[in-house]
């Protein structure tokens, strides 16, 4: 459906027909910029009042979107089909701009940006001697944020317990249960920020729904009262998101900095979210994000991340004797082994199972794909984070707690 629509749009706009997959107009950033420069005087004579990066940001994103769409159509891109880029209204899109050239600095609670000059920040942030590559400014929940992409040498020490493997069972009741190969276990409680704050969000949503909101059908603009209520709701939701991000970062940092090997389950998050009763809590616990962070953070510290196979029955296997149950309802919170009589917390049992094969098969080579795990045939080592030298060239987001590599602040 979506693809067809895109195809039609493409045909209409760019004269692409049938199997001809090459557009008659070049879609590279370079040529889009050239086209823009040719028409900007007539289309928008006010262009000089803005930073040229404002236009460049949009053209860059358009070029990427078109490339993704083209690659997806030609089967060169994995994952879900990518649709044709849609028009973005300035009212609905999140305002953002990325500065890539010019005077970009961050010093003593101020950001210096091209065209905008010196801007006071809420946070006292400074980038020190890091080399700034770009700065992205965005408007979110009533505040302006700036994020710097920098190049900076960061020393991240090797894990403090390099020989110990930790199995992580991500859960709903508790955010994570950690079991080490030395037999220790501990729980990381699920903050359930969303659950707590949800009442407030619901109340604010009710307020908003009683006011005259936007109507897509009649093109009714929302009332100012609705806008205020909507903003309040977004602030409440945003606070939840911030707190959740904080908890997850602290957990993954701690794991990656402590254990030489971290083992997690390959949870089928997309499938779990489709299960409506679990969905909200699963999304709340952000399993996918935890895995993503563990992947790069274990790489930073020189540790190893092992993702156990999705079908490895970590919950259904006895961590004492290895007996496997065929059935285990999600409601059974306790593990009671019918073979050896072991009684354990369900999540602890699973975490211990995850930690074990990693410890017994552990070698220091860190390239999991070629090695034998030595135990539990169900465990397949799926992937490894790239091993990174202590000097990391960073481009993406960097951990905030280090305070040096990335500074995000609002003004
Ligand atoms: Zn048993």
């Amino acid at each position: 459906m979506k693809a067809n629509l895109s195809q039609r749009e493409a045909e209409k706009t760019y004269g692409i027909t049938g199997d001809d997959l090459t557009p008659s107009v070049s879609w590279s950033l370079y040529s889009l910029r050239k086209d823009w420069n040719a028409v900007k005087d007539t289309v928008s004579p006010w262009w000089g009042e803005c930073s040229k990066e404002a236009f460049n940001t949009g053209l860059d994103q358009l070029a990427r979107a078109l490339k993704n769409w083209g690659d997806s159509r030609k089967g060169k891109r994995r994952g879900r089909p990518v649709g044709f880029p849609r028009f973005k209204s300035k009212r609905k899109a999140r305002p953002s701009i990325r500065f890539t050239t010019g005077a970009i600095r961050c010093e003593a609670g101020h950001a210096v940006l091209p065209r905008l000059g010196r801007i006071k920040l809420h946070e006292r942030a400074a980038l020190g001697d890091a080399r700034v590559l770009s700065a992205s400014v965005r408007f979110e929940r009533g505040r302006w944020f700036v994020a710097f992409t920098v190049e900076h040498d960061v020393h991240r020490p090797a894990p403090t317990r390099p020989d110990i493997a930790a199995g992580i069972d991500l859960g709903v009741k508790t955010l994570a249960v950690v079991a080490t190969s030395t037999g220790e276990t501990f729980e990381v409680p699920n903050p359930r920020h969303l659950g707590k704050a949800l009442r407030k969000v619901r109340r604010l949503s009710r307020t908003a729904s009683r006011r005259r909101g936007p109507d897509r059908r009649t093109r009714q603009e929302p009332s100012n009262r609705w806008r205020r209520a909507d903003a309040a709701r977004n602030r409440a939701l945003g606070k939840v998101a911030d707190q959740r991000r904080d908890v997850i970062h602290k957990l993954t940092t701690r794991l990656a900095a402590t254990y030489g090997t971290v083992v997690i389950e390959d949870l089928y998050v997309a499938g779990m979210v489709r299960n409506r009763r679990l969905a909200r809590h699963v999304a709340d616990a952000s399993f996918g994000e935890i895995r993503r962070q563990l992947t790069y953070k274990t790489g930073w510290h020189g540790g190893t991340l092992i993702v156990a196979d999705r079908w490895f029955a970590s919950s259904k296997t006895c961590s004492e004797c290895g007996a496997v149950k065929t059935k285990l309802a999600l409601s059974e919170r306790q593990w009671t082994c019918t073979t050896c009589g072991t009684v354990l917390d369900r999540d602890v049992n699973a975490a211990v199972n995850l930690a074990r094969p990693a410890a017994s098969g552990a070698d220091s080579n860190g390239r999991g794909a070629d090695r034998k795990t030595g135990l539990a045939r169900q465990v397949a080592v799926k992937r490894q984070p790239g091993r990174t030298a202590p000097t990391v060239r960073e481009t993406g987001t960097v951990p905030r707690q280090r305070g040096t590599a990335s500074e995000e602040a609002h003004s």
Side-chain angles (χ1 to χ4, degrees):
M1 276 285 286
K2 207 171 182 178
N4 288 339
L5 185 74
S6 314
Q7 169 103 34
R8 231 181 297 138
E9 271 179 69
E11 283 167 9
K12 219 167 66 189
T13 323
Y14 295 98
I16 301 171
T17 44
D19 297 329
D20 179 16
L21 295 175
T22 26
S24 49
V25 186
S26 170
W27 284 346
S28 70
L29 173 60
Y30 173 79
S31 46
L32 287 174
R33 208 160 22 186
K34 211 173 127 199
D35 291 350
W36 161 250
N37 284 331
V39 297
K40 65 184 176 187
D41 287 320
T42 42
V43 176
S44 50
W46 41 262
W47 63 267
E49 293 167 32
C50 309
S51 165
K52 68 177 169 35
E53 301 273 17
F55 309 107
N56 193 51
T57 303
L59 294 174
D60 180 38
Q61 286 169 354
L62 176 62
R64 283 168 203 264
L66 288 166
K67 184 180 184 304
N68 290 344
W69 172 75
D71 287 352
S72 174
R73 242 181 115 211
K74 286 179 232 167
K76 279 200 277 179
R77 192 178 202 276
R78 295 177 56 175
R80 290 170 151 194
V82 175
F84 194 76
R86 276 169 301 181
F87 173 72
K88 267 187 172 177
S89 158
K90 68 176 178 186
R91 285 183 191 82
K92 285 177 194 153
R94 172 170 296 162
S96 70
I97 175 173
R98 185 160 163 254
F99 295 98
T100 53
T101 52
I104 308 169
R105 287 196 307 278
C106 180
E107 54 199 18
H110 286 83
V112 178
L113 296 168
R115 275 259 159 204
L116 300 170
R118 229 169 127 79
I119 302 162
K120 194 165 183 289
L121 303 174
H122 266 257
E123 281 174 61
R124 283 199 68 79
L127 289 175
D129 56 351
R131 197 167 81 86
V132 178
L133 301 176
S134 69
S136 305
V137 178
R138 70 178 192 279
F139 183 73
E140 212 174 283
R141 294 180 246 129
R143 284 169 175 170
W144 285 96
F145 290 83
V146 56
F148 295 92
T149 303
V150 301
E151 209 173 61
H152 187 47
D153 287 346
V154 181
H155 174 68
R156 291 197 175 79
T160 47
R161 301 169 79 184
D163 304 326
I164 295 173
I168 321 295
D169 182 75
L170 296 172
V172 171
K173 201 184 71 180
T174 51
L175 181 63
V177 173
V178 182
T180 65
S181 49
T182 48
E184 301 156 64
T185 57
F186 62 90
E187 280 186 13
V188 181
N190 192 343
R192 296 267 186 110
H193 292 302
L194 192 56
K196 268 185 222 162
L198 209 55
R199 266 190 18 232
K200 190 175 179 186
V201 173
R202 284 203 187 111
R203 179 170 58 75
L204 293 167
S205 295
R206 274 201 303 278
T207 309
S209 71
R210 279 194 293 266
R211 300 182 176 180
R212 204 193 67 218
D215 192 324
R216 215 179 292 172
R217 221 160 20 98
T218 59
R219 307 213 162 187
Q220 170 75 61
E221 285 289 307
S223 69
N224 284 332
R225 292 177 75 241
W226 182 88
R227 280 189 219 268
R228 278 201 301 277
D230 185 51
R233 167 175 52 190
N234 285 344
R235 273 198 301 276
L237 274 170
K239 192 172 179 192
V240 173
D242 288 345
Q243 290 170 328
R244 184 165 61 202
R245 199 172 307 137
D246 186 55
V247 168
I248 289 172
H249 265 296
K250 279 175 180 156
L251 168 68
T252 54
T253 297
R254 178 178 164 195
L255 292 171
T258 311
Y259 302 105
T261 308
V262 179
V263 192
I264 55 166
E265 273 177 295
D266 182 14
L267 289 169
Y268 182 43
V269 179
M272 280 177 90
V273 174
R274 236 174 271 137
N275 174 348
R276 280 180 50 216
R277 281 169 64 201
L278 265 178
R280 210 185 64 220
H281 294 307
V282 172
D284 193 6
S286 313
F287 292 167
E289 178 61 15
I290 291 173
R291 174 173 168 176
R292 190 187 71 81
Q293 288 181 11
L294 280 174
T295 306
Y296 72 75
K297 287 185 184 177
T298 48
W300 279 351
H301 289 277
T304 306
L305 178 72
I306 295 176
V307 180
D309 186 88
R310 184 174 302 162
W311 309 116
F312 170 52
S314 61
S315 308
K316 294 177 189 167
T317 308
C318 177
S319 58
E320 279 295 319
C321 71
V324 181
K325 282 190 189 181
T326 47
K327 260 187 180 172
L328 185 71
L330 210 59
S331 56
E332 285 178 54
R333 299 311 311 169
Q334 198 145 71
W335 170 266
T336 313
C337 183
T338 44
T339 313
C340 72
T342 302
V343 179
L344 269 176
D345 179 82
R346 174 203 180 96
D347 299 331
V348 172
N349 181 56
V352 172
N353 277 327
L354 287 169
R356 178 164 304 142
S360 69
D363 58 12
S364 53
N365 124 1
R367 285 271 167 248
D370 324 327
R371 76 180 148 103
K372 293 195 170 67
T373 30
L375 223 166
R377 64 206 169 281
Q378 299 101 318
V379 175
V381 178
K382 278 204 82 175
R383 71 173 195 177
Q384 288 276 314
R387 288 224 140 186
T388 325
T391 304
V392 186
R393 259 183 70 113
E394 284 154 33
T395 42
T397 37
V398 232
R400 207 175 302 180
Q401 65 272 19
R402 309 272 323 178
T404 44
S406 161
E407 291 300 344
E408 221 175 59
H410 47 82
S411 67

